[in-house]
Amino acid sequence: MNFWDIACCSGTGIEAFAKLNTQFIVSFPMECRFSLNLFIPSWAEGTDVYVNEEKVSIKSFIPQSYFTINRLWHDKDVVKVVFNCNFHLKPMIDNINMFAIFYGPLLLAFESNSEIILKGRMEEDILNKLKVLNL
């Protein structure tokens, strides 16, 4: 019997791209041992993983790599992944002194009557110098 003939997952997280956490159910007609690899994105400053509401110990956290859970899985096991993130800057490809502000994977944008260009040097602590003005 092929593994994919008995395995089914629901709630991929793809439909909820703006959320910084995802949850899915692992379904099997019988117990099954395998390794589940979860990708840790580069913008994550920490990741919490839960199986059936019990926190999984993460010994080493390496962004842009996989975290593996090797266990005996049961029907209806629930996996929840919570990505911790913060504000960060990404330079524009054509001008490294011009950048965009992100919160985790989300590019932050706002409506303005005129063009606003954020300029500076990436090594400066620009995020701490930003101020929110009530207009």
Side-chain angles (χ1 to χ4, degrees):
M1 180 177 277
N2 186 332
F3 172 79
W4 294 111
D5 291 339
I6 63 168
C8 175
C9 294
S10 61
T12 63
I14 293 171
E15 67 280 355
F17 65 90
K19 293 183 180 178
L20 299 176
N21 61 54
T22 189
Q23 181 171 301
F24 57 91
I25 298 170
V26 180
S27 297
F28 295 97
M30 59 188 163
E31 293 180 339
C32 183
R33 176 172 288 282
F34 69 92
S35 295
L36 176 66
N37 294 311
L38 302 170
F39 184 72
I40 309 297
S42 62
W43 48 262
E45 293 193 4
T47 301
D48 297 316
V49 179
Y50 301 85
V51 176
N52 300 326
E53 299 185 14
E54 187 175 318
K55 191 170 183 177
V56 176
S57 174
I58 299 178
K59 292 182 176 66
S60 64
F61 173 77
I62 304 169
Q64 276 192 278
S65 67
Y66 289 89
F67 171 70
T68 302
I69 304 173
N70 185 342
R71 62 173 278 154
L72 180 63
W73 296 91
H74 305 280
D75 190 34
K76 307 279 190 277
D77 277 345
V78 177
V79 178
K80 181 178 179 181
V81 183
V82 179
F83 297 111
N84 303 309
C85 59
N86 209 336
F87 295 99
H88 62 277
L89 303 174
K90 283 192 179 181
M92 299 294 107
I93 295 172
D94 60 340
N95 184 346
I96 62 169
N97 292 321
M98 194 177 301
F99 46 86
I101 300 175
F102 284 77
Y103 182 74
L106 305 175
L107 171 62
L108 301 180
F110 55 91
E111 190 174 328
S112 174
N113 292 332
S114 61
E115 181 179 34
I116 297 175
I117 298 175
L118 301 174
K119 292 184 177 182
R121 290 185 308 219
M122 293 296 290
E123 57 271 4
E124 293 177 4
D125 193 10
I126 293 173
L127 289 175
N128 286 332
K129 295 178 183 176
L130 293 177
K131 293 185 171 127
V132 177
L133 302 176
N134 293 325
L135 301 177

